[in-house]
Amino acid sequence: MDLVSIALPECHVEARHDLRRGVLLLVNYLNMLLPEDNSWQLSSGASVLSYHLPIMQVLLNELNIADAHKYYDIAAIHQTVQCIVYVTSQRGWSNRNDDICDQTVSALLDVIVAFHEGRGGTARSYLGRSVTLSAAMALRHLTCENSMNSQGNLVIEPFIYRNHNNQHGLIWLLPLWAYRSVEVRAAGLGIASAVSAVSLGRVYLTQACHQLAGGLWALMLNILLDSSECSQVRQEAALVLCNMVNETSLKLAESQSDDQLHSDSSVVPDEKIYQGPCVVDEDSGLTIYEHQALEALIQHTQFFKKVSAMISQTFTAPVSALPTTHWTAGNPPDSDFTLTDGGEADLSSAAQSLSLPPNNASQLDISNQELSANSGLLIDNTTEPVKPQSRSIITPSLCASVLQLCQNLVCVSPQYLARSILKDGVLGELTKLCGGEKLSHILKLYIKGGRADREKLNVLFLEVAWLVEEIISTFQSVVYVDAIASTSVLLQPIFMLRIIRLGMSVSSGISDTTISKHAKQQLFVIWDSMVNFLLKCLLIRKDDALPNIVTALSNVWKPFIDDIQLIVSSTECPPARDSSLRFLSVLFGYIGKAKSLCGATVLSVDNEVHCISVFESFLDDEETKKFSSGCVLSKCLVEVYEAHLSSSNPRAEAVLANDALRNLLYISTTAKQHCLESGLVESTIDRLKQLNAKLNIDSLDKQKRKRYEESRLRAIVGSLKLLQSLLHSSKAAKLAALHSGLTHTIQKLWQWCCLSCSVLLSPVLRLLTTYVLDCEQACCSLAYTKATATTPLSGGNKALLHCLLRLTTEYLKETESNWEYLLLLFNVLAAAAKSTEGRGIIWKMNFLQGFSDLNLPKVSTKNRTKSPWKHHPYQLWFKILLSFSFYDDGQLLIAKLSNSVDILLDFIDELPLILSKTPFIILRNLSFSSTNKPKILANPRFISCLKRRLNDQSEPFYQLIACNTLWALLYNNQKARVSIKNAGIPSTLQSQLTEYLNNTENNDSSFLTTEYLHHIDCVISLIDGKQK
């Protein structure tokens, strides 16, 4: 680089110029050869990028504005600025040196201003066009570099032009936007899009354009909607508008006056200045601001109709000559650029259709007047701009940037603009674009092509990938904000199928090792967008989306599962893997919820039944159980789950895989069978034992306990929930857990349950509820005692059932605050009462005496809306008494409780009819015990209660239970026969039987009625002395 500024005699000036030119071209060429990741290193071990700083210092010396001889040598300055373009195109060239970046920006701004200040005729002149182009491209690169080195408003500070204590802000950008060269216009707008990413940049842009008709908004909209403008220029205009459309820009401060809205740009602007559009209503003359102005602007320009036309004209043919979307060092290392003339935008027509506030009526137009009295920047256009004969190509990147703008518009004004998108056909055109083969054809062509083909299609592929991502994001935005638009177009099976197929078109390239890392990341992004869209549809519009997604998946289920298995198993793109796991978890969770609801109620929604049946056929193929989708998915999820658990610090991926796996196990029998055969039950219980041991060790050290306790407790909760799904409706899994010592493991964890009730207690109780349900061996294990370490919380060598009873007794003191835990505790105790050992422990601990202390709730006279039965312990006690009442010894134990029969009769009389079912059944069961019959019959209220229920013909179920109770009392009991006859019950039964036989045509023939009549016949026969 010393050769660039070498001093030679005047007779060798030409040789010096050639030498300088050759050195700079060499630097350009070497920069062009550098890889994207900047991984090259010199033999000394230093990075190639470390030499960019001294190179840039030499180049900046060549741009010294004080050296007039150099500064007015157009060829020399062009070579210097062109070299700066190549150096700044390398990401990280500045090595986070803010000073060198600021100096480079300042030098390039001096070049821009020097070439345009006071010259006039810029749009027609070719003098210095290459210098202007190179300077604009270098500044565009520097905006990216600055955003990496700085944050917030510091990013744009170097781009604020100041001269002789006069601040001109960003007015120097305006000549670039009106330049004859397409590349300069695109670069200038690219700088504006980068600057507008921060709040202060948006303010400066607004101030720079405040003298233009319609301001920045009208100018950018005119460029974007001008069909004769180059697609790259229009794309950058769309990106500027994307950054301008936000709540802060559209908010008008209450204290802001109309004069402050249009203050002079030479004044340092305030960040709170209004940056949104201003529109004057022609009828009323009022000025409209904020969201109303934006909506009026969109409606007046027919924005969405033109966007719909742009989408329909999107060019996606595999042509390698499409315009590029990024400025890098991709041009050949020549002394001159090959420039492409494009039609100049008619900037003067930017806001002809808009009315401005009265004080803006005299503001000057950008195309033919002086921009600012203080700026000194002039643009002269004395001739009409030449328009091209044909329209510009709508590239995928232009379409993507416009869709990004649409998303921002929908976010700031959801209802109005979302309906406008639907009304003006934008969603319809996007649906056609997804349904056609244009996009997927380019993606598949790139994936299946060789290296040479991929190099030709690289730009188009990246644009199409971005377009697909933005299409799906647009759909997602509409689904989020508007129900009508989403249900009418988006949430339909055919549309869902198109989106799924579009996302699946990239799956074959994910496992291809020949595809570059950057391209593969784009494939992952497309898949991630597709899965996130389906996920948001499920979360936001579950009732509409679930049946349509299931219907769509039924057409591509097997390839979809293969693709999602590939994504989940890959470690190249964690976001795509995580979103896939979330989608599986939510989908399986909704199916499981629908399954439980349909199983719990007689009536069910047709869509839910359809979803369940379809998924059962998907996951559990009886012919190929070992290769069914449920088995394949469970195998994949178990591998992901265990792989992330094996790390020293389990990450979020393990939690996501856990959620997806346990929701799958709930609905798939083949998945559960595979996990059972693979030993997942045993390994999960072993992991619980290890975590408990680590917790015990960490508790000895206070620092370790604070550091690891929370993460270990979360891991225990995840294992408990996974076990619960494994044990659900599986007797084999429960026995496997029993043999692996689940009961003893929970007993050892019990002390931590008591210490961390809010974290561990609920999952442990839910697991126990599932564990003991319909499994006698598991119920018995709760009463078994196994030697363990004695601690005050663990209960010493007592059985787990002792711990449960102690905790229940403690929580019964405050029923309302502990209601959730009490429900779970009594569920476990009711199941434990089904074993002889369990009933014995419950009785010996005098636990049932609490039932004798129950009192009927008092009805509040102040608050009659509150039900007195809510959170009343009777619901809990009836569960455990019902379990006792089905066994002979349990019936005797209930009868031994003081006033047990009176308490049951009190609740039968006082409770609403629908709530008195359980105590009535308990009394019925007590009547089967020959020992209890005298005590029951001795209570005069009992026979009266039965007679009252028999006479209530509106409730046939209670009639049947009452008649069944009479049958039990009469069997082998003469005293019962006498008591029942004295109560006049036989005549009641006989009259009901006669009435039914006389009206056989009009009578109900349901199961309850038939059983009731059979019971009446048997009871009457027993009263008459005939055994039945």
Side-chain angles (χ1 to χ4, degrees), residues 169-377:
L170 296 175
I171 293 183
W172 59 269
L173 279 173
L174 301 184
L176 302 183
W177 299 349
Y179 210 82
R180 182 181 182 88
S181 171
V182 172
E183 290 91 338
V184 175
R185 293 203 303 274
L189 286 168
I191 297 170
S193 67
V195 165
S196 61
V198 296
S199 59
L200 191 59
R202 294 190 287 271
V203 173
Y204 273 108
L205 282 176
T206 304
Q207 289 293 85
C209 300
H210 82 281
Q211 289 186 343
L212 306 181
L216 178 66
W217 290 81
L219 177 62
M220 292 298 122
L221 273 174
N222 183 71
I223 296 174
L224 174 59
L225 300 178
D226 184 1
S227 61
S228 64
E229 182 58 276
C230 171
S231 63
Q232 185 63 54
V233 178
R234 300 171 71 184
Q235 175 186 335
E236 297 297 345
L239 294 177
V240 173
L241 287 172
C242 282
N243 292 332
M244 296 299 297
V245 177
N246 58 74
E247 290 294 339
T248 305
S249 299
L250 296 174
K251 188 175 182 181
L252 181 65
E254 294 181 1
S255 60
Q256 206 164 10
S257 65
D258 196 61
D259 294 335
Q260 289 174 321
L261 289 175
H262 310 286
S263 59
D264 194 278
S265 61
S266 62
V267 181
V268 179
D270 183 6
E271 283 192 52
K272 295 182 179 179
I273 193 171
Y274 178 63
Q275 305 150 36
C278 305
V279 178
V280 175
D281 188 352
E282 295 180 355
D283 297 332
S284 63
L286 297 176
T287 304
I288 305 173
Y289 300 101
E290 299 185 344
H291 296 80
Q292 293 83 0
L294 179 62
E295 293 172 4
L297 188 63
I298 294 298
Q299 182 180 6
H300 188 78
T301 57
Q302 297 182 338
F303 177 77
F304 287 122
K305 289 184 179 179
K306 295 180 180 178
V307 168
S308 178
M310 291 170 64
I311 296 171
S312 65
Q313 298 166 11
T314 301
F315 185 78
T316 57
V319 178
S320 59
L322 281 177
T324 58
T325 56
H326 306 287
W327 290 277
T328 60
N331 295 298
D334 245 337
S335 58
D336 297 316
F337 284 97
T338 304
L339 301 179
T340 304
D341 292 338
E344 179 179 344
D346 186 6
L347 301 179
S348 61
S349 61
Q352 291 177 355
S353 60
L354 298 175
S355 300
L356 294 178
N359 63 337
N360 262 14
S362 61
Q363 290 177 1
L364 305 180
D365 191 271
I366 182 175
S367 61
N368 53 15
Q369 296 291 344
E370 187 177 5
L371 292 179
S372 172
N374 299 323
S375 67
L377 300 180

Side-chain angles (χ1 to χ4, degrees), residues 36 153 215 288 348 540 563 604 679 681 717 737 893 923 936 981 996:
E36 292 181 7
N153 292 329
I288 305 173
S348 61
I540 299 170
D563 294 345
S604 59
V681 174
V717 170
L893 294 175
L923 272 180
I936 294 174
K981 280 185 177 181
Y996 182 84

Side-chain angles (χ1 to χ4, degrees), residues 493 543-555 587 590-591 594-595 598 604-619:
D543 295 335
D544 296 322
L546 182 61
N548 293 323
I549 290 177
V550 171
T551 304
L553 286 175
S554 63
N555 295 279
L587 179 63
Y590 280 149
I591 294 295
K595 186 176 181 180
C598 290
S604 59
V605 183
D606 293 339
N607 286 339
E608 292 182 347
V609 175
H610 170 71
C611 293
I612 295 169
S613 61
V614 169
F615 253 86
E616 286 178 348
S617 63
F618 285 169
L619 298 172

Side-chain angles (χ1 to χ4, degrees), residues 429-547:
E429 290 297 335
L430 288 178
T431 305
K432 292 178 183 177
L433 193 58
C434 291
E437 295 296 327
K438 290 182 178 181
L439 302 181
S440 59
H441 176 68
I442 296 296
L443 298 175
K444 292 176 181 178
L445 198 64
Y446 179 84
I447 293 171
K448 296 178 180 179
R451 183 175 180 180
D453 296 331
R454 287 174 182 168
E455 289 180 356
K456 293 179 181 178
L457 291 170
N458 186 55
V459 172
L460 182 58
F461 164 74
L462 294 177
E463 291 191 6
V464 169
W466 182 27
L467 175 58
V468 172
E469 180 187 357
E470 294 303 330
I471 288 174
I472 298 176
S473 298
T474 305
F475 290 148
Q476 189 171 313
S477 300
V478 175
V479 168
Y480 186 78
V481 301
D482 191 74
I484 295 178
S486 59
T487 52
S488 61
V489 178
L490 303 183
L491 300 183
Q492 301 296 331
I494 184 63
F495 172 77
M496 291 293 183
L497 182 59
R498 289 175 177 176
I499 292 292
I500 293 171
R501 281 179 172 163
L502 191 59
M504 290 172 59
S505 63
V506 305
S507 59
S508 59
I510 291 173
S511 58
D512 192 341
T513 57
T514 62
I515 295 181
S516 66
K517 185 178 180 180
H518 179 62
K520 190 172 289 189
Q521 287 299 316
Q522 296 301 316
L523 300 180
F524 277 114
V525 167
I526 292 175
W527 175 272
D528 185 42
S529 301
M530 180 268 292
V531 174
N532 272 320
F533 171 71
L534 298 178
L535 177 62
K536 288 294 173 61
C537 288
L538 284 174
L539 294 175
I540 299 170
R541 315 279 182 208
K542 190 260 293 186
D543 295 335
D544 296 322
L546 182 61

Side-chain angles (χ1 to χ4, degrees), residues 695-723:
L695 277 175
N696 293 335
I697 294 173
D698 294 342
S699 64
L700 302 176
D701 189 337
K702 290 185 178 180
Q703 292 183 352
K704 280 190 175 181
R705 180 175 177 180
K706 289 181 179 179
R707 186 184 306 173
Y708 297 114
E709 182 176 336
E710 185 178 352
S711 61
R712 299 205 196 284
L713 290 177
R714 284 200 304 266
I716 290 175
V717 170
S719 299
L720 291 172
K721 290 181 178 180
L722 180 60
L723 269 177

